[in-house]
Amino acid sequence: QFSFQENGWGAFLAERLVRKCDVVNRGLSGYNTKWAKLILPRLISKSAGAESTVAVTIFFGANDSALKDLNPKQHVPLEEYAANLESMIQYLKSVDVTEDRIILITPPPLQESAWEKECLAKGDRLNRRNATTGEYAQACVRVARDCGTDVLDLWTLMQKNEDFSSYLSDGLHLSAKGSSFLAAQLWERLEKKLSTLPFLLPYWRDVDHTNPEASLL
């Protein structure tokens, strides 16, 4: 949901693709795969032009991996999380969005000390663990491998930098730097898929000003 904020990764993609296609943001703060699986048909369907969809990203796990005893509302068991991702992929395929147009994104790592401060400020205990989030990230990678989709393993990539705290604004959500990191990694994958997309309309210098209809209609 925050990806279209200033310096957000969704806004970055929209700016890059402004003359080629629309970037539609259907991220919903706080949602998990159990809920996303149910609403996906409302977001992407054959009647809504699924056949013209050039890429879909599925980015879940940070909420699913919340600890069951401390955050039962958002928690989704690991195996169910994997099954939900697979179900979403199968649904997309059923409306003609093929595997090569789907990119799974794992949850980012959790910076526990920073997130614990956020939890304590609300009177709660630390309700997530980075090691647990990592298990969900690994499951996401497995689903992508088994289903033949692309995957961006954000959890692993961000931790190649020993101190990954700067990628997160509060230990859980992406900071501007983290969003830029995700955008760059995602663009490497999307650029290949979208390189053949034509410009929607000609560059202004190429419009015949004496007869614009010939160029624009």
Side-chain angles (χ1 to χ4, degrees):
Q1 182 172 321
F2 306 131
S3 71
F4 268 44
Q5 290 181 337
E6 186 176 3
N7 299 316
W9 62 274
F12 170 91
L13 295 177
E15 191 278 328
R16 283 289 182 98
L17 296 167
V18 68
R19 295 291 295 273
K20 292 195 169 188
C21 64
D22 294 325
V23 176
V24 180
N25 176 10
R26 291 294 181 265
L28 297 166
S29 177
Y31 273 50
N32 57 30
T33 56
K34 182 183 293 186
W35 305 344
K37 179 181 70 171
L38 296 176
I39 64 169
L40 182 58
R42 293 169 55 185
L43 307 180
I44 300 177
S45 64
K46 284 189 177 180
S47 62
E51 74 284 348
S52 63
T53 300
V54 293
V56 175
T57 60
I58 301 176
F59 187 11
F60 286 98
N63 295 320
D64 297 70
S65 62
L67 302 178
K68 181 179 181 180
D69 55 337
L70 297 175
N71 190 347
K73 184 168 185 175
Q74 291 179 302
H75 170 79
V76 174
L78 182 62
E79 292 307 315
E80 184 180 346
Y81 165 75
N84 290 341
L85 289 178
E86 185 172 348
S87 176
M88 284 189 273
I89 293 169
Q90 295 306 321
Y91 169 76
L92 290 172
K93 288 171 62 179
S94 78
V95 295
D96 300 327
V97 179
T98 52
E99 300 99 320
D100 60 306
R101 288 183 280 164
I102 301 170
I103 302 174
L104 301 190
I105 306 174
T106 76
L110 179 78
Q111 216 286 318
E112 292 183 13
S113 59
W115 184 242
E116 185 172 27
K117 290 179 183 178
E118 297 290 323
C119 294
L120 292 173
K122 298 175 183 176
D124 299 324
R125 292 161 54 196
L126 178 64
N127 58 19
R128 290 165 169 81
R129 292 287 184 184
N130 190 40
T132 304
T133 303
E135 293 175 0
Y136 283 70
Q138 291 167 15
C140 181
V141 172
R142 287 196 299 272
V143 170
R145 181 190 63 218
D146 294 344
C147 293
T149 73
D150 203 348
V151 64
L152 172 51
D153 185 359
L154 204 57
W155 189 85
T156 298
L157 288 170
M158 282 188 166
Q159 290 184 96
K160 286 185 177 179
N161 180 346
E162 191 170 316
D163 179 15
F164 60 88
S165 59
S166 62
Y167 291 135
L168 305 166
S169 62
D170 55 7
L172 175 66
H173 300 98
L174 297 176
S175 64
K177 182 178 178 181
S179 199
S180 295
F181 181 87
L182 169 54
Q185 294 290 331
L186 192 54
W187 185 246
E188 286 183 8
R189 291 157 173 78
L190 284 173
E191 192 172 19
K192 301 170 188 174
K193 299 178 188 293
L194 308 182
S195 60
T196 58
L197 283 179
F199 281 111
L200 295 174
L201 287 166
Y203 183 55
W204 73 271
R205 292 187 185 277
D206 297 329
V207 175
D208 181 355
H209 69 283
T210 64
N211 184 19
E213 291 85 357
S215 303
L216 302 176
L217 298 180

